[in-house]
Every structure is written in C-alpha cells, then in structure tokens.
Amino acid sequence: MSEWTPSTWRALPAEQQPEWPDEHALEQALKTLSTLPPLVFAGEARALRAALAQVAAGKAFLLQAGDCSESFNDFTADSIRDKLKVILQMAVVLTYGTGTPVVKLGRIAGQFAKPRSAPYEVVNGVQIPSFRGHMVHDDAPTPEARRPDPSRLIAAYHQSASTLNLLRAFTKGGFADLSQVHMWNQQFVASSRQGQRYEAIAGEIDRALRFMAACGIDLRAEESLHQVDFYTSHEALVLGYEEALTRRDSLTGAWYDTSAHLLWVGDRTRQPEGAHVNFLSGVGNPVAAKLGPEATAEDVLALCRILDPGREPGRLTLIARLGAGRVERLLPPLQEAVRAAGHPVVWVCDPMHANTFMSDGGRKTRRLDDVLAEISGFFSACRVTGSWPGGVHVELTGDSVTECLGGAEEIVEDDLELRYTTTCDPRLNARQSLDLAFQVAELLRAG
Ligand code: PEP
Ligand code: CO
C-alpha cells in the first residue's frame, strides 16, 4: 500500500460532500485555508490522547458536549461563555459522581457541517437542498440560501479561531474556578423545586470542598482547581476543509488535523472503505466513530483495524447512539467483539441521536427521559460486559431554548414554538443539561 497523505481520500467514495457549484472558487478557498495557521497544536492533540487513554483504562470519564451545529448567526462571547459554563458545571457534578477526573471536550470551534439522511427537504411546498451546516451554506429555507458557497469554509475557520481564543482565555483565566462553578451549581439546586432533589449531591460536594480547605489546600491558589484543560472536536465531514488544515508536526513528523483536537466520523460516513475513515486513519489526533443501531460487530471490528491498528489506548473512541430501547441489547455484542480483538477503545454513550422524533407541530425533538433512559441502559450494558462506561456525548446550549421535552421546567410540545433556535438537531438547554448531569451522578451512585 502506498503511503497515506492528507489527499489519499480523494480517490475513494466520499459520502455527504456538498455539491459546490463553482469548482474554481472551492480550490481558491482550500488553497487559502492551507496557508492559514493551525487552530490547535499537535502537542495538545497528544495531551487529549493521553487523557483519553486514562478513560480507556477506567480512570477518567469523558464529557463531550456542544451544539449539533454551530451557527454563524449566534456567535457572541456570551453564548460561548454560557455553553462553556454549563459544560463546566456538568463536569464538576460528574467528577463527583464518577469519582474520577472528567475530560472536557466541546462539540465547538469547528462543528459547522452536517450529514443529512435526505438530500432534499420540502418547505412550504418547495423542494430545496437540505441544510448541511454554516460551513456550506445558510440555513434559511430558500434555494438561494442553500447554494453552497466556498467562502464559508474560510469564515468557519475564522469563527473557530475566535471561539478557541475565547475558550482558552476563559478556561485559563479564572472562569473555570472550582469554587465558582460549584457556587453556580448550588444556585441551580436552590432556584427550582426540581433542583432541590439534587441537594444531597450538591451538599456532599460542598462538604468535600470544605474538607479540602480544612486540610490546608488553598482552593483559590491551587492551579488545578482554578484552570481546566478544555479540548475541541467536530465531525470531520467536509474533507477538503480537513485536508487543508492537516499539517506535519515539526516535532514528530506525523500528520495532524489541526482543525480540532479530536475528529469523528458520523454514522453515515463510517464506511471502512470510504474517504472519511481513510482520512482519519492517517492523522495522529485521537479519533472517534459514531455507531448507530445498524452497526454490526464486523463493521466495528473493521473500523478498529483501520483506525487503531496499533491497539493504542486513547486513539479510538466509539460513540454508541443506539436508542433508549435498544442499547442494552445492541451494545454488549459490539463491546465483546472489540474486547476479544484487543482494542483498548473508549466507549461513549450519545443518548441523543437515536431518540429523535417529530412533534405533532412538526418540530424535531427529544425527551429528556429517553436521553436518561439510554444513558442508564448504556451503564447496564457496560456492567454486563465488564466495560468501563467511558463517557457521554450530548447536544446542548447555554441558552434557555425550548427544543427538547421534559426536565425541571417540564417543557411540553406546545412550548417548542417558544424558543426553538437550533439550526439542526434539538439541544438540551442549560437546566436540562444540569438535570442530566445530576441524574447521571445519582445513577452512578446507585450502580
Ligand atoms: C451528530 O452528531 O450531529 C450526528 C449527525 O450524529 P450521527 O452521525 O450519530 O447521526
Ligand atoms: Co446532531
């Protein structure tokens, strides 16, 4: 086999690629991208890989979270801060619940491209191309807006750069201070009747912090309690973009996709002989693959062989999105097969994507109860196979949207019209996300 390069994928079938109307403009945009500085650094991707190796060993837990699809229109410091805030809050609760460090990985600073089940949709009786993310076109439901525009690839790069800049500042500049994050959690618990259900856990965390302080640990001065490592990830979908940001690491000579720390292939692009898997096989970043209910043990083993030939802990994460009613039946055979083949993968539960349905009003939605049921089923499956439940992958926002049903505010179908702002899949709002974190902590305590 000839040596892999960032363009090897071009000779292979690539699903889900935009139909760019102007080939020349596309080439120009990709050429520009290939001259721009890396967004993340190889050393950081290696640090994430090492952190994920800890998860693979059952010594840490992964929280991967963010928008289904980031928006060019909702791009403000406040919205990034609020998203980070809820992820940090969830991480503190999960750290306590799992008794292990939580690796924080955003679906952020690059999550701008979407695979779609159908190439077209019908809006107001007119057939238009399905929305494929702001990296490709605008989401407005008109044929003009849905025309792919390569200048958006450059815009996605710049928005990713600004987002990363802010995330780095927030996570290293004091915003992630443990005492402060814990205080926000206490406010959440105190501010609603449902939140009070979590008083026990919040109280235990509080006592743990006071115990540390009593032992002489200065909670404000101790750097590890003041700063966090926060990593970025997105689906490596538009391969021209990923190729243009793939660079050789000057230290090791290996190729790294510098568009994010971790890249994943979706359930629609995980064909072992396809372009997307080939692309990820050659980069040194930690990588992941989504597994839907159709995934067979053979499919998963083929992915393991290609993406983790060296059987290296931290290299490959498998994200199961099987459905609340199916995870307990479908996951164990996959876990057994991977274990028998000797791949030390991280197993993560995406409890969102197989629990989506249309409301009577025609809105895509999810029930928080189904999301929690899938997580619970995931934990049960892992107990059966003796696998470490390595983490959760959720779609959320810090805004008070009404896109998913249930939770502390008891959002019902009629509420979906109030604040439904996602450009793609329905996200948990901040309170639903915290609800989820506390309930997962309760599950872990019970288990
Ligand atoms: C997603 O993560 O938004 C997505 C499309 O996932 P999947 O590939 O699992 O359908
Ligand atoms: Co989604």
Side-chain angles (χ1 to χ4, degrees), residues 131-432:
F131 177 58
R132 292 186 177 275
H134 277 168
M135 178 188 277
V136 178
H137 51 200
D138 189 38
D139 57 290
T142 66
E144 302 74 51
R146 297 285 170 92
R147 193 181 145 89
D149 171 3
S151 74
R152 287 177 164 265
L153 295 167
I154 313 276
Y157 168 91
H158 287 297
Q159 183 164 328
S160 300
S162 310
T163 304
L164 260 163
N165 183 46
L166 208 54
L167 289 171
R168 292 187 200 278
F170 279 137
T171 51
K172 299 297 174 189
F175 184 73
D177 179 78
L178 176 61
S179 305
Q180 170 168 290
V181 176
H182 171 59
M183 191 188 72
W184 293 330
N185 279 344
Q186 285 179 311
Q187 285 166 355
F188 163 74
V189 168
S191 68
S192 76
R193 186 170 50 79
Q194 287 78 6
Q196 284 161 21
R197 190 178 145 196
Y198 309 126
E199 240 165 26
I201 290 182
E204 285 169 34
I205 298 174
D206 200 55
R207 271 192 296 285
L209 289 177
R210 278 188 280 136
F211 175 73
M212 281 158 62
C215 291
I217 298 168
D218 185 341
L219 298 183
R220 300 222 169 252
E222 172 65 34
E223 199 175 277
S224 64
L225 302 178
H226 199 64
Q227 302 189 348
V228 299
D229 292 327
F230 189 89
Y231 298 99
T232 61
S233 67
H234 62 257
E235 177 169 350
L237 186 72
V238 177
L239 290 174
Y241 177 85
E242 304 302 335
E243 175 187 347
L245 286 169
T246 297
R247 313 288 164 78
R248 252 193 217 283
D249 171 30
S250 53
L251 222 58
T252 62
W255 291 105
Y256 280 83
D257 184 345
T258 67
S259 72
H261 299 110
L262 176 142
L263 289 310
W264 78 81
V265 286
D267 193 45
R268 296 166 189 76
T269 54
R270 60 172 169 76
Q271 302 78 14
E273 309 303 326
H276 293 82
V277 170
N278 175 274
F279 179 78
L280 287 195
S281 74
V283 297
N285 308 59
V287 298
K290 294 276 209 98
L291 304 175
E294 310 293 315
T296 63
E298 289 71 50
D299 294 341
V300 179
L301 290 179
L303 283 172
C304 288
R305 276 194 297 273
I306 300 168
L307 295 177
D308 178 37
R311 295 178 168 76
E312 292 171 58
R315 161 66 177 169
L316 178 60
T317 293
L318 295 175
I319 307 169
R321 28 88 90 221
L322 302 171
R326 290 181 286 200
V327 59
E328 282 186 71
R329 180 168 52 84
L330 296 180
L331 186 57
L334 305 182
Q335 291 188 322
E336 306 281 13
V338 171
R339 152 97 46 84
H343 293 277
V345 305
V346 170
W347 285 103
V348 168
C349 173
D350 165 356
M352 315 293 294
H353 286 91
N355 297 313
T356 313
F357 66 96
M358 279 289 179
S359 73
D360 290 341
R363 293 289 195 189
K364 240 199 225 183
T365 190
R366 295 154 173 165
R367 287 192 187 87
L368 183 61
D369 283 349
D370 293 338
V371 168
L372 289 164
E374 180 154 355
I375 296 176
S376 170
F378 172 77
F379 285 141
S380 305
C382 290
R383 262 196 299 279
V384 167
T385 60
S387 311
W388 171 246
V392 289
H393 176 122
V394 289
E395 290 182 343
L396 57 72
T397 171
D399 306 334
S400 60
V401 299
T402 56
E403 298 171 3
C404 292
L405 303 172
E409 296 150 297
E410 294 169 20
I411 294 172
V412 296
E413 289 212 12
D414 282 345
D415 300 330
L416 294 178
E417 294 311 314
L418 296 176
R419 289 178 303 279
Y420 193 98
T421 59
T422 184
T423 51
C424 195
D425 290 341
R427 303 157 296 176
L428 301 175
N429 64 30
R431 300 189 71 94
Q432 290 170 324

Side-chain angles (χ1 to χ4, degrees), residues 20-33:
W20 303 103
D22 181 345
E23 198 58 40
H24 178 70
L26 173 65
E27 273 167 34
Q28 285 306 111
L30 294 178
K31 204 166 147 206
T32 302
L33 274 177

